[in-house]
Amino acid sequence: MSRAHALWIRLLLWGYAVFSMAPLVVMVLSSFRPTSEIFDDPLGLPGAPGFGNYVKAWTEASFSTYVVNSVVVVVCAVLLGAVVSLLAAYPLGRGRFGGRGFFTAYFISGMTLPAHLGVLPLFYLMESLGLVDSLLGLILVYAAGSIPFNVFVLTAFFRQLPHELDEAASLDGAGPLATFWHVMLPLVRPAVATVVVFQFVPLWNDFFYPLVLMRDESKLTLPVGLTHFFGEFQNDWGTLFAGLVMTTLPLVVLFVLATRQIVAGLTAGMNR
């Protein structure tokens, strides 16, 4: 590749990055401005930056409740789904037993079923268990829905690890659980980070299941709570932008912290 060609590619990538970041920059800057100032100069800089919009969104608009509900539900669901998936993927990826192919296909088949088609029987099931309008019920639904994809990714990573590691651990006196915890789990950390991020983002943004399963406004998560928020503050653009920044910030922080692990997880297969 010539230098001129590489330069053009870099310019295009930087141009795309600037174009993609521009709405986020406008959103952040507008969150520090009063609504009247936004209407006068939509793309201007804050005249006297302040956190009044954030305080108003957090206290007056029940935003703190929505954020806490989303954090509790998504974090618990991601952790539960990751733990269950690791315990399933390890024997499927490293074990040698009859029916391993069947169980692997069984888990992966969950990725082929549109989850929203089963919402009616799911609702009746959750209602019979007393888990409708319950954060625990939403956590269980999210965790169960993440398992097929997690098992698919983690099983592939476990299979890539050399079998000599199991033999060396066995010679050192480690049992299956010790081998999993001290040897295998650290080696698949990039894959765990990948599945955590890939599940966290859609669950954080999910609107469908909270809308179906939640009735009490005090138990709403951010996506559904934002609809109430927009209806109440539709003429207060500064507060709206502050709410959007608080909604987006956890995703940005997650990607910044986990970028290296995500890249390692996505490119691990290229290095073998």
Side-chain angles (χ1 to χ4, degrees):
M1 182 184 297
S2 65
R3 289 187 176 181
H5 192 194
L7 179 61
W8 276 110
I9 292 177
R10 288 186 179 182
L11 289 176
L12 288 173
L13 291 176
W14 275 109
Y16 175 76
V18 171
F19 180 77
S20 301
M21 291 295 295
L24 295 177
V25 173
V26 172
M27 179 179 69
V28 173
L29 292 177
S30 298
S31 68
F32 295 100
R33 306 170 68 195
T35 301
S36 58
E37 190 177 317
I38 295 174
F39 280 124
D40 292 338
D41 186 9
L43 300 180
L45 296 175
F51 292 93
N53 292 329
Y54 288 90
V55 174
K56 187 175 182 180
W58 189 260
T59 58
E60 297 183 20
S62 302
F63 212 83
S64 57
T65 302
Y66 304 147
V67 170
V68 171
N69 290 342
S70 284
V71 170
V72 170
V73 168
V74 175
V75 171
C76 291
V78 169
L79 291 178
L80 179 60
V83 170
V84 174
S85 300
L86 279 168
L87 296 177
Y90 178 61
L92 292 176
R94 307 298 295 177
R96 299 175 181 176
F97 57 89
R100 185 180 65 169
F102 168 78
F103 286 110
T104 302
Y106 174 77
F107 277 106
I108 296 176
S109 65
M111 298 172 58
T112 66
L113 301 174
H116 292 175
L117 292 181
V119 66
L120 191 59
L122 175 64
F123 179 83
Y124 287 133
L125 174 63
M126 301 301 287
E127 190 174 38
S128 66
L129 296 174
L131 294 176
V132 171
D133 201 26
S134 164
L135 295 182
L136 175 60
L138 194 57
I139 290 171
L140 295 176
V141 170
Y142 281 159
S146 68
I147 289 175
F149 174 80
N150 292 353
V151 170
F152 172 72
V153 174
L154 294 172
T155 300
F157 270 80
F158 278 121
R159 285 178 178 172
Q160 291 177 355
L161 300 178
H163 284 280
E164 289 77 9
L165 295 173
D166 303 80
E167 298 172 0
S170 179
L171 291 175
D172 289 337
L177 184 60
T179 302
F180 166 74
W181 183 257
H182 295 290
V183 180
M184 298 300 171
L185 190 57
L187 294 176
V188 297
R189 187 172 57 184
V192 175
T194 301
V195 299
V196 164
V197 173
F198 272 70
Q199 294 302 319
F200 188 96
V201 174
L203 295 186
W204 184 266
N205 294 324
D206 182 60
F207 180 84
F208 182 76
Y209 284 117
L211 180 65
V212 173
L213 297 177
M214 293 299 177
R215 299 168 181 171
D216 188 349
E217 186 174 353
S218 65
K219 297 179 181 179
L220 296 180
T221 55
L222 269 173
V224 180
L226 279 174
T227 60
H228 296 250
F229 180 65
F230 288 150
E232 185 177 354
F233 293 88
Q234 58 183 341
N235 296 321
D236 190 348
W237 285 88
T239 305
L240 288 176
F241 281 121
L244 291 174
V245 170
M246 287 190 285
T247 303
T248 308
L249 185 60
L251 300 180
V252 175
V253 172
L254 179 65
F255 272 105
V256 169
L257 295 178
T259 295
R260 182 175 298 179
Q261 295 294 335
I262 296 172
V263 173
L266 294 176
T267 60
M270 302 178 185
N271 299 325
R272 298 183 183 276

